[in-house]
């Protein structure tokens, strides 16, 4: 039987290729500097059996109409808002992701942004570059302490829990959260309290977003929400830029509806260099580096490859999102 072919859509840690090859799969890698255009992706996907995809690949209805022959999609990310899972399911294609391995790394970035914003670190760094550091300034660029403040988490999954752990351990912060369901582990381990969405946005000194981008969450953090937050609060988003309305965020900061913002994800991405957020003293922006550690990226490569291999070897996909397609299906 000819071996199955897997297309890896960007260069990722080599461990994925090694694992797939060792499992007897033939690997093709897109070597380009950026993602393929959708027509390029479709053309190449037509020549393979499985795809190891990244968040920038547009796997929509059109893609699945053209590539319904695929056996499996192994996404190299925890988020999969680039994939029309319903269309994949209709085509009978299992879709998998890489949860957990990047939780620590992403929580570190949320934690770092929170501190950076509270002390205007990115802005103060730029004053040195601009030659503006002349003397000690008793009244300028004051931030505020995080100790004892309230951390609000929207989406208490693994990443939210890792952030709660850090904030509680480092700053003794009170943790409140809103989620689709209660997270009893977070309640037990970090004393987190479940609150309504309205209470979350009203009570948080730091509001950190850790949800998936979906029809329910798209643009959820808008003017109306910002206007209900404390004027002294910080908004942190390390999930997906689409969850906040960036024009409303800029306005909320300009009008003092909220105090500051830390973003690892922007709307749209990439952010343009002339975006007003980049010049605001109480704002810190990073170019979507949440999972950018050696440990997390190796873990993501390993899990994405394992999902594909396990499908071919056992007909099982450990991190399957649309598990229903696996029932009764033979690999
Ligand atoms: C994810 O895994 O969804 C991240 O955003 C990619 O680093």
């Amino acid at each position: 039987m000819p071996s199955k072919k897997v297309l890896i859509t960007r260069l990722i840690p080599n461990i994925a290729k090694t694992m797939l090859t060792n499992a007897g799969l033939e690997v093709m890698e897109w070597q380009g500097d950026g993602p393929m255009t959708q027509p390029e992706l479709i053309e190449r996907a037509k020549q393979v059996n499985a795809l190891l995809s990244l968040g920038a690949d547009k796997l929509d209805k059109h893609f699945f109409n053209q590539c319904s022959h695929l056996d499996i999609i192994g996404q190299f990310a925890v988020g999969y808002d680039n994939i029309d899972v319903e269309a994949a399911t209709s085509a009978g294609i299992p879709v998998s992701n890489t949860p957990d391995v990047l939780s620590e790394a992403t929580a570190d970035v949320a934690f770092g942004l929170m501190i950076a914003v509270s002390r205007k670190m990115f802005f103060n760094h730029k004053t040195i570059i601009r030659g503006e550091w002349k003397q000690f300034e008793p009244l300028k660029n004051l931030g505020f302490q995080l100790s004892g403040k309230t951390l609000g988490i929207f989406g208490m999954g693994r990443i939210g829990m890792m952030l709660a752990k850090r904030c509680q351990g480092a700053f003794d912060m009170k943790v409140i959260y809103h989620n689709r369901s209660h997270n009893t582990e977070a309640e037990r381990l970090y004393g987190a309290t479940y609150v309504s969405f309205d209470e979350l946005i009203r009570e948080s000194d730091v509001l950190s977003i850790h949800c998936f981008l979906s029809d329910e969450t798209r643009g959820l953090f808008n003017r109306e929400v910002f206007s209900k937050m404390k004027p002294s609060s910080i908004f942190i988003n390390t999930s997906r830029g689409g969850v906040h309305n960036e024009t409303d965020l800029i306005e909320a900061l300009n009008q003092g509806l909220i105090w500051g913002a830390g973003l690892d994800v922007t709307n749209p991405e990439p952010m343009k260099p002339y975006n007003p957020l980049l010049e605001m003293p109480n704002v810190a922006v990073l170019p979507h580096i949440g999972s950018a550690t050696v440990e997390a990226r190796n873990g993501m490569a390993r899990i994405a490859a394992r999902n594909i291999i396990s499908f071919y070897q056992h007909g099982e996909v450990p991190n399957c999102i649309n598990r229903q397609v696996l029932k009764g299906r033979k690999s």
Side-chain angles (χ1 to χ4, degrees):
M1 186 173 93
S3 71
K4 300 284 187 183
K5 292 185 185 149
V6 182
L7 171 64
I8 305 181
T9 65
R10 284 293 291 283
L11 287 178
I12 62 170
N14 217 23
I15 186 167
K17 186 178 181 182
T18 308
M19 283 173 67
L20 292 163
T21 311
N22 288 347
L25 298 161
E26 194 180 322
V27 175
M28 296 161 79
E29 280 173 310
W30 169 249
Q31 309 267 343
D33 204 18
M36 283 176 261
T37 62
Q38 198 190 42
E40 281 170 334
L41 177 63
I42 290 173
E43 191 194 314
R44 285 184 167 74
K46 281 185 171 164
Q47 298 158 31
V48 299
N49 308 97
L51 209 64
L52 199 156
S53 60
L54 273 78
D57 299 324
K58 195 170 165 200
L59 308 185
D60 58 5
K61 240 187 209 94
H62 173 65
F63 174 87
F64 287 109
N65 278 338
Q66 297 291 309
C67 298
S68 58
H69 68 284
L70 286 172
D71 292 330
I72 176 165
I73 308 284
Q75 168 98 334
F76 175 82
V78 65
Y80 47 87
D81 45 283
N82 59 311
I83 304 175
D84 185 335
V85 178
E86 212 177 294
T89 306
S90 302
I93 303 171
V95 176
S96 59
N97 68 343
T98 62
D100 299 338
V101 282
L102 43 71
S103 301
E104 300 267 358
T106 308
D108 286 345
V109 167
F111 187 66
L113 283 172
M114 176 183 75
I115 302 173
V117 173
S118 75
R119 301 300 301 275
K120 309 186 184 192
M121 285 184 186
F122 285 31
F123 174 77
N124 280 311
H125 175 78
K126 280 190 266 175
T127 63
I128 305 174
I129 299 170
R130 289 198 289 252
E132 292 167 8
W133 183 14
K134 305 281 188 225
Q135 67 267 313
F136 175 77
E137 295 287 357
L139 290 174
K140 273 196 188 161
N141 293 324
L142 306 187
F144 63 82
Q145 282 185 196
L146 292 162
S147 298
K149 296 278 183 341
T150 297
L151 168 71
I153 294 190
F154 181 72
M156 185 63 101
R158 267 343 290 162
I159 300 173
M161 282 175 68
M162 292 297 102
L163 179 64
K165 182 180 177 186
R166 284 156 177 69
C167 291
Q168 209 197 41
F171 298 118
D172 203 16
M173 289 174 86
K174 176 181 163 195
V175 181
I176 58 176
Y177 75 101
H178 183 76
N179 216 21
R180 270 177 301 199
S181 53
H182 282 248
N183 183 330
T184 49
E185 205 186 342
E187 292 176 8
R188 184 173 52 82
L189 292 174
Y190 311 119
T193 307
Y194 182 91
V195 293
S196 67
F197 182 72
D198 267 8
E199 199 174 340
L200 182 85
I201 57 176
R202 256 190 294 114
E203 297 303 321
S204 299
D205 293 308
V206 177
L207 176 62
S208 193
I209 313 306
H210 300 283
C211 62
F212 282 99
L213 177 63
S214 65
D215 290 344
E216 260 169 87
T217 61
R218 192 178 305 279
L220 178 62
F221 292 88
N222 57 14
R223 192 189 155 78
E224 194 192 331
V225 169
F226 295 133
S227 67
K228 291 181 186 162
M229 288 171 66
K230 293 184 186 179
S232 55
S233 63
I234 294 177
F235 175 78
I236 303 286
N237 190 1
T238 54
S239 62
R240 283 291 182 270
V243 169
H244 67 250
N245 179 316
E246 211 143 287
T247 310
D248 288 4
L249 177 62
I250 293 168
E251 212 177 281
L253 287 158
N254 278 331
Q255 294 177 358
L257 299 180
I258 63 171
W259 188 82
L263 307 176
D264 183 44
V265 290
T266 62
N267 183 10
E269 280 184 21
M271 178 181 264
K272 296 281 186 281
Y274 47 79
N275 190 301
L277 287 168
L278 297 170
E279 291 308 320
M280 293 186 185
N282 306 354
V283 172
V285 186
L286 292 171
H288 203 147
I289 58 156
S291 67
T293 64
V294 173
E295 293 86 350
R297 292 281 163 87
N298 279 341
M300 290 159 71
R302 189 166 23 81
I303 298 223
R306 188 189 66 183
N307 282 323
I308 295 171
I309 294 166
S310 174
F311 172 78
Y312 282 123
Q313 292 185 342
H314 313 293
E316 190 31 63
V317 181
N319 308 102
C320 193
I321 290 151
N322 53 349
R323 198 156 281 286
Q324 65 272 32
V325 303
L326 293 174
K327 291 201 184 104
R329 181 181 170 137
K330 278 241 171 287
S331 58

